[in-house]
Amino acid sequence: MKKINDSQNKMKRALSNRQVQLIAIGGTIGTGLFLGSSRSIALTGPSIMLVYFVAGIFMFMLTRAMGEMLYMDPSQHTFINFITKYLGRPFGFFSGWTYWLSIIFMGMSELTAVGIYFQFWFPKLPMWLIQLAFLLVIMSINLITVKFFGEAEFWFAMIKISAILALILTGIFMLAVHFKTPVGYAGLSNITTAFQFFPNGWTKFVMAFPMVFFAYQGIEFVGITTSETKNPRKVLPRAINQIIFRILIFYIGALLAIMVIYPWRSLDPQQSPFVWVFKLLGISWAAGLINFVVLTAAASALNSVLYSAGRHLYQLALDSSGSFKHHFAVISQKSVPARAICFSALTVAISPIIYVIPSVQDAFSVIASVSSGAYLLIYILTLCAHRKYIDSPDYLPDGFLMPKAKIFDPLTIAFMCFILLSMLFQSSTRPAVIGTVVWIVVFGSYSLAKHKN
């Protein structure tokens, strides 16, 4: 087995197994599960669990492909480096900037969500002030030390996990006592009665896939921690392998609990199922409790965004030259890429300005939706790089091997293409597909021209 080469890694390996495990969980649980579960269930009923399972399997395979390459070379700050190495500089340049911009747009969305959730308690506070103050706190967490970031993310994830486990245990309790709800009794019959795979038609079933895919975005963040993790070849495989079980427990378990308690056709798509489930238990302050949980989830996502964006911008600077490299390829005394983190935070801080100007906000909504399509491009290129890695001299036969890679690499690529096509079924996601094609043509052509030699 090859030795880990840390000669290029100036960052400290300070993240423990406990922290990386929870960072992996945090990367797979967003605000969508707490707020949007009713909407996803309303699309296709109980078969939404199948959608989560199928999408989860392919996202797991994606992380296994990333994990195999990172296991081979844990000194890398980002998986994008493998795209550069195995597909060429134009693809690496395209992927690096596309991924960084996608993360920034994600951060802007999460910062906006933070402002909305915080105004639940303080409606008179200006949105921009809440957002900037919150961003400053999260940026400070990232600037102190990577260990401090890991500890903050650990507790953010613990809050989310506790809320989900509370919901699942509530479902088990209500099922056991045959709990009476305003529309009947808790029981498996709420799922099995008149069960259909496509209760609202096959098009709604297909439309559920992009929604579920977006819920999984960020699952790759665990791989970005590799260069700062203690014993990465021991910790990384364990964290990635447990992702599939977390998907089953947290996503499918929560959805199953919701539909056991309440007939899925009676759900209000505009209301968080977590709120009314806890209200059924007599918790009058359930709305405030779940608002705290989703605020934590948004803070967790923003924390991970700044961590990831900072490392990616640092890597982009390392791979460049001139003043850009001079200014951003710098590690602070705390062993973090402070300038890259600050610049990424400053870019995310544009969000409050965007949401004050309606015409700019409309344009931003279209651009942000394009970033979702861009994520698919990055995932596809990563899988193509993995395929090239398998046939390269770098291949580590005794490493953390992706199972049946020659079968699952093309299958997972096909699934990503299916997600992109399924986005055409909804008017809200259709512009993202068109925008993604335009981005490929315009920025892809620029990348090829810039690195044609």
Side-chain angles (χ1 to χ4, degrees), residues 191-386:
I191 295 175
T192 58
T193 301
F195 174 81
Q196 292 178 286
F197 266 109
F198 312 122
N200 297 321
W202 67 270
T203 53
K204 294 286 187 182
F205 181 77
V206 171
M207 286 164 61
F209 276 92
M211 182 181 292
V212 170
F213 169 78
F214 298 148
Y216 283 128
Q217 274 187 212
I219 198 172
E220 77 284 353
F221 282 174
V222 64
I224 300 168
T225 66
T226 306
S227 66
E228 296 170 275
T229 300
K230 299 174 184 176
N231 303 316
R233 283 184 170 162
K234 179 180 179 182
V235 173
L236 185 67
R238 190 182 303 171
I240 289 177
N241 279 335
Q242 289 181 4
I243 285 177
I244 188 66
F245 299 109
R246 294 176 188 127
I247 290 166
L248 290 171
I249 294 171
F250 297 124
Y251 276 108
I252 299 178
L255 293 170
L256 182 61
I258 290 165
M259 289 185 284
V260 162
I261 296 169
Y262 220 72
W264 72 270
R265 292 184 185 275
S266 300
L267 291 172
D268 181 359
Q270 303 304 316
Q271 186 180 11
S272 166
F274 281 75
V275 172
W276 57 253
V277 165
F278 292 134
K279 279 186 175 180
L280 286 175
L281 285 178
I283 302 175
S284 58
W285 41 274
L289 172 65
I290 298 307
N291 191 74
F292 171 72
V293 173
V294 295
L295 179 61
T296 302
S300 171
L302 190 57
N303 195 32
S304 294
V305 159
L306 290 189
Y307 175 87
S308 181
R311 271 67 183 173
H312 275 278
L313 188 62
Y314 171 74
Q315 186 61 53
L316 287 169
L318 281 179
D319 294 340
S320 67
S321 58
S323 60
F324 178 61
K325 182 172 185 176
H326 175 73
H327 287 298
F328 292 107
V330 177
I331 297 295
S332 72
Q333 291 182 345
K334 298 290 185 179
S335 300
V336 298
R339 291 183 183 179
I341 291 170
C342 289
F343 183 79
S344 297
L346 186 64
T347 310
V348 172
I350 297 171
S351 179
I353 301 171
I354 289 174
Y355 280 90
V356 168
I357 308 170
S359 58
V360 176
Q361 181 180 343
D362 292 339
F364 171 74
S365 297
V366 175
I367 295 170
S369 68
V370 171
S371 71
S372 298
Y375 249 93
L376 286 163
L377 293 178
I378 303 304
Y379 290 160
I380 290 170
L381 288 173
T382 301
L383 290 160
C384 291
H386 178 254

Side-chain angles (χ1 to χ4, degrees), residues 47-204:
S47 60
I48 190 66
M49 292 186 289
L50 178 63
V51 177
Y52 268 95
F53 181 76
V54 171
I57 291 294
F58 284 111
M59 294 303 285
F60 173 65
M61 289 301 169
L62 170 70
T63 57
R64 283 298 299 263
M66 290 179 181
E68 181 175 353
M69 293 185 288
L70 287 164
Y71 185 92
M72 179 271 297
D73 187 0
S75 65
Q76 296 299 327
H77 302 295
T78 167
F79 62 90
I80 299 295
N81 288 356
F82 298 111
I83 296 176
T84 304
K85 185 172 185 178
Y86 297 113
L87 299 183
R89 288 281 297 167
F91 290 97
F93 180 82
F94 174 86
S95 300
W97 283 106
T98 300
Y99 188 68
W100 183 79
L101 286 170
S102 297
I103 299 172
I104 292 298
F105 285 129
M106 184 189 295
M108 288 180 174
S109 300
E110 295 296 345
L111 188 60
T112 302
V114 163
I116 294 169
Y117 302 146
F118 208 83
Q119 280 190 328
F120 177 86
W121 293 300
F122 304 99
K124 293 184 179 180
L125 274 180
M127 179 79 77
W128 65 268
L129 182 61
I130 295 169
Q131 290 176 311
L132 291 180
F134 210 90
L135 182 61
L136 185 62
V137 171
I138 299 298
M139 184 181 74
S140 300
I141 289 173
N142 274 267
L143 289 176
I144 297 173
T145 61
V146 69
K147 185 177 181 180
F148 191 77
F149 157 80
E151 197 62 26
E153 194 58 29
F154 175 87
W155 290 108
F156 283 150
M158 281 296 291
I159 293 171
K160 293 187 282 187
I161 291 167
S162 298
I164 296 169
L165 290 178
L167 177 75
I168 294 171
L169 291 173
T170 299
I172 294 171
F173 166 75
M174 290 183 173
L175 178 64
V177 301
H178 205 46
F179 190 91
K180 186 176 181 180
T181 70
V183 291
Y185 292 89
L188 292 173
S189 58
N190 289 332
I191 295 175
T192 58
T193 301
F195 174 81
Q196 292 178 286
F197 266 109
F198 312 122
N200 297 321
W202 67 270
T203 53
K204 294 286 187 182

